Each structure stands twice: as structure tokens, then as C-alpha cells.
Amino acid sequence: MAKSMRNIGIITAGGDCGGLNGVVRGAANFAHRNGMGAYIIPHGYAGLYNLVDLDRIVHLDENRTDNVNSSFAGSEAGHSRVKIAKVDNPHKYERILDGLRKFSIDGLVISGGDDTGGVMVDLAENGIPCVHAPKTMDLDLQTYSVGGDSAINKIAHFVEEIKTTGKTHNRIMIVEVFGRYTGHTAFRGGVGADADAVLIPEIGVDFDILYAHMKRTYMRRILNSDVRAGTYTIVVAEGIKDAKGDLISQEDTKDSFGHIRLGGAGKYVRRKLEEQLKKDPEFPEFLKRHGMFVSGLYELPEVREVVPGHLVRSGSTSAFDVNFGKQIGGAAVMLLLEGKTGVTVMDVDGAKIRYIPTKDAIRQRRVDMQMVSFYEAMNVCFGRVPQLYVPEFEEYQGEIIYRHI
């Protein structure tokens, strides 16, 4: 056990999301309970690198910790996207250690996703004690990550609400959400809102299949409505690819970690559907039969895209993420006390604190194609030919572990 640990520093980094303040509060309160001080290291890894130059940092005593509102998304500690290994300074790790010594900080609780975790692995290998509290609304780590449940609920809420304008105007509605390499939140948010189609990075989109599903579903709804009202809803992850596997993005700039800044996937899907609508002679005839067609003014259904953007990761936090954030924040402090560093908290289950090496935790986890097939059996379109879901029935004999996703 690392008995000499006097103070911990708390860092949040990468993208903001729900649950981070739960991590901050959980870590600070566990530090208090164990006779340690807790300090915010501001602005992510930028703050850590510049710590040696700061005159003061915020001490999270009990009164200040009371003011950390766990239900607020984002982070009291502030964020930045900085990859320490790229800093052009051969003495960068000594500089960081000097900053930690200046404020008598003996270990770090670091909350972030795969990029943040990758930097943390680098820090641990250079003698800086740290534990990773997993955070990413993309849910692409090997563990559950704080922020995922909040994002899923917000996506589902926005998609469900956009149906009112879709149905009022008989529109085809597209909602573009975050999801660079994996589509977990688009998938679960779309399913949670009864979206008709969900397009994710794991599956190259065949627009002929998507169009056929849209046309069939849309026409059926209009025909079966006594007021001839209907809509069709599509959730699109920003990192989708076409059927050839090419990334769809209108941006050409990169962030500090070398990732292309994504944007325009929803607009691309809209334009593809509009192209197919214009080539389809059945749609104008369909509108004529049902009193909706006006020559030159209203000849085809409208297709609209909406991008909620950072609203998905801002505002409030789900109760699940508050609970999970507090658990992994507190557990990270316990691991530091035990001298277990360079690891990621998986979960807290009673007296068990489960953890794995961070280098293993940040391996990318993609959407399970069997689960895609499961929902294809419920008539959700994923822009591909539906695959048969073949269940394997098994009576579970082991310990029951709650898994969020």
C-alpha cells in the first residue's frame, strides 16, 4: 500500500460529457475519507504540463467539493486535447514531475477516453503514478465509460421529439450524432427512440437498401393514417462510410491527436436520398393519389437533417452516470493507495474493485454485429441486407454481473 500518498490531483481530458463531475466528486470525497488532500489540475494535460508555472491550484476541501454538482455535464476541472508525447521538449516528463512536487501531489486520477488513456499509459511509463477513470460517450473502450448513458438518453430524446415535426410535414428526418469509429451511442439512442434506420461506422451504407426501406415504411404509414400523416426517422453517426468503405466527411482538418474533424454525414445522407427520390416516378404518383402533390411546389417528400451536436454531451447527467462516475472516481483513489497505477477502473461490485491495464482498456470495441442482426429482425434498417439472427440458448451458471451494454 502506498502509505506515503499525501495528495491527489484530478484531471479530466478529451471531450466533455455527462458524469465527469461525479468522478471529480467521488475522487475528492474518497481522498478526504482517507486523510488526503485533493486538487484540481485545470485544463487537462495542458494544465498538467504547465503546472510548474502556476501559483495556485484549486484545493477540493469538503466545502469546495460540496459545490461540485454531479448532475451537471462537463467538468469543473476543464479540458484540453493535448498529447504530451508530441510536446517538443526533451524534459517534458521532468517538467511534469516538478509541477507535481511543487504542489506535493503524489498520484493522479485521470478521466478520459482512448486518447486520454493513451497519454496516461505514456505518463505511467515515465514514472508518474496515475489511475484511469474511463470516460467517453462513444463507449468504444473495453469497459463501460462514464458519459455513455447520458448521451444515449439525450439522443433518444432528440430523435423522439423530432418525429413531431416529421409527422406534421410528412418529412423524412435525419439526426446526425457523434460516433467517429464506433456507433454505440447512435445505435442505442436510435433503438431507444424507435428510429427506423440507424447508420453506424461499422457498416458501409448501401443507399439502395436504405432507400427501399424508407420508401416502403413511409408509404405504409401514409396509407394507414386516417389523416395521411407519416414520417421516417434515420439516426446517422458522424463517422459513417459508404458501401466502398470510404469515410464521409466534409472536413479536411485534424485535431491534436491526428483525427480528421468529422462533419456533414447527415447532409450527405439527405442528398443521397433526395437524388433517389428525384429518380423515382412512383413518389409523385403516390402524392397525387393522396392529395399531397402540387406541381412545381410540392412534388416529393422533404428530407431534412438535424445536428444536435454538443447538446448531446452537455447539460445534465443521467443518474446512472452520476453513480458510475462517483464509483470509478472513488475506486481510482483506492487503487492509488494500493500502489496500483497505470490501470483503468472497470467497475465496483460490492467489495470488489475490478481493474485492467489501461493499455488493454483503450483497445477499440466496436458494435456487435450479432446485436445488429437482432434488431434487424425487428425491422430496423442499418443500410445493409439484413442478416439472419441465429440465437444460441444458454442457461447461465456463473456469477451474475450487471453489464450496461
Side-chain angles (χ1 to χ4, degrees), residues 140-145 346 356 360-365:
D140 57 349
L141 304 183
Q142 294 298 312
T143 65
Y144 175 72
S145 307
M346 290 185 67
I356 58 174
D360 295 331
I362 61 177
R363 287 188 294 108
Q364 191 175 86
R365 183 179 59 84

Side-chain angles (χ1 to χ4, degrees), residues 254-270:
K254 294 183 179 180
D255 64 19
S256 60
F257 283 86
H259 304 309
I260 295 174
R261 297 186 189 277
L262 299 178
K267 184 179 292 185
Y268 182 89
V269 172
R270 171 176 62 79

Side-chain angles (χ1 to χ4, degrees), residues 7 24 27 38 87 130 199 212 219-220 247 289 303 312 338 342 364:
N7 299 300
V24 172
V87 175
C130 41
L199 308 181
M219 287 184 170
R220 172 178 58 78
L247 183 67
R289 286 198 304 273
V303 186
V312 167
E338 289 294 319
Q364 191 175 86

Side-chain angles (χ1 to χ4, degrees), residues 92-280:
K92 51 184 170 280
Y93 300 108
E94 291 89 340
R95 175 181 168 86
I96 289 171
L97 285 165
D98 286 343
L100 294 174
R101 282 190 287 265
K102 177 178 179 177
F103 292 100
S104 301
I105 293 172
D106 302 305
L108 299 173
V109 173
I110 301 176
S111 191
D114 56 343
D115 290 331
T116 301
V119 175
M120 201 210 82
V121 171
D122 178 44
L123 295 176
E125 290 174 348
N126 282 278
I128 299 167
C130 41
V131 173
H132 179 223
K135 178 279 318 172
T136 172
M137 52 171 281
D138 289 336
L139 292 175
D140 57 349
L141 304 183
Q142 294 298 312
T143 65
Y144 175 72
S145 307
V146 73
D149 185 73
S150 299
I152 288 168
N153 278 281
K154 285 178 182 285
I155 290 168
H157 175 75
F158 289 137
V159 174
E160 189 62 43
E161 292 211 326
I162 207 67
K163 291 179 184 179
T164 63
T165 190
K167 192 172 182 180
T168 299
H169 294 275
N170 291 343
R171 288 174 178 152
I172 296 147
M173 301 302 299
I174 300 165
V175 181
E176 178 189 321
V177 299
F178 292 113
R180 176 178 296 278
Y181 301 118
T182 62
H184 294 288
T185 51
F187 178 29
R188 294 297 178 181
V191 167
D194 293 332
D196 300 301
V198 180
L199 308 181
I200 56 177
E202 290 86 345
I203 299 171
V205 182
D206 185 321
F207 284 94
D208 290 335
I209 291 172
L210 175 65
Y211 181 79
H213 187 270
M214 180 278 293
K215 179 179 177 179
R216 182 172 63 253
T217 305
Y218 179 88
M219 287 184 170
R220 172 178 58 78
R221 287 180 179 152
I222 298 293
L223 284 170
N224 286 286
S225 166
D226 58 357
V227 291
R228 297 292 184 257
T231 186
Y232 184 89
T233 314
I234 307 170
V235 176
V236 179
E238 63 181 347
I240 61 168
K241 301 176 178 66
D242 61 23
K244 294 184 290 185
D246 294 330
L247 183 67
I248 296 168
S249 177
Q250 295 185 331
E251 300 283 343
D252 57 6
T253 58
K254 294 183 179 180
D255 64 19
S256 60
F257 283 86
H259 304 309
I260 295 174
R261 297 186 189 277
L262 299 178
K267 184 179 292 185
Y268 182 89
V269 172
R270 171 176 62 79
R271 288 175 174 172
K272 293 291 287 186
L273 291 177
E274 286 174 339
E275 288 172 7
Q276 289 173 297
L277 279 165
K278 289 174 183 176
K279 294 186 295 184
D280 188 346

Side-chain angles (χ1 to χ4, degrees), residues 2 55 308:
D55 295 327

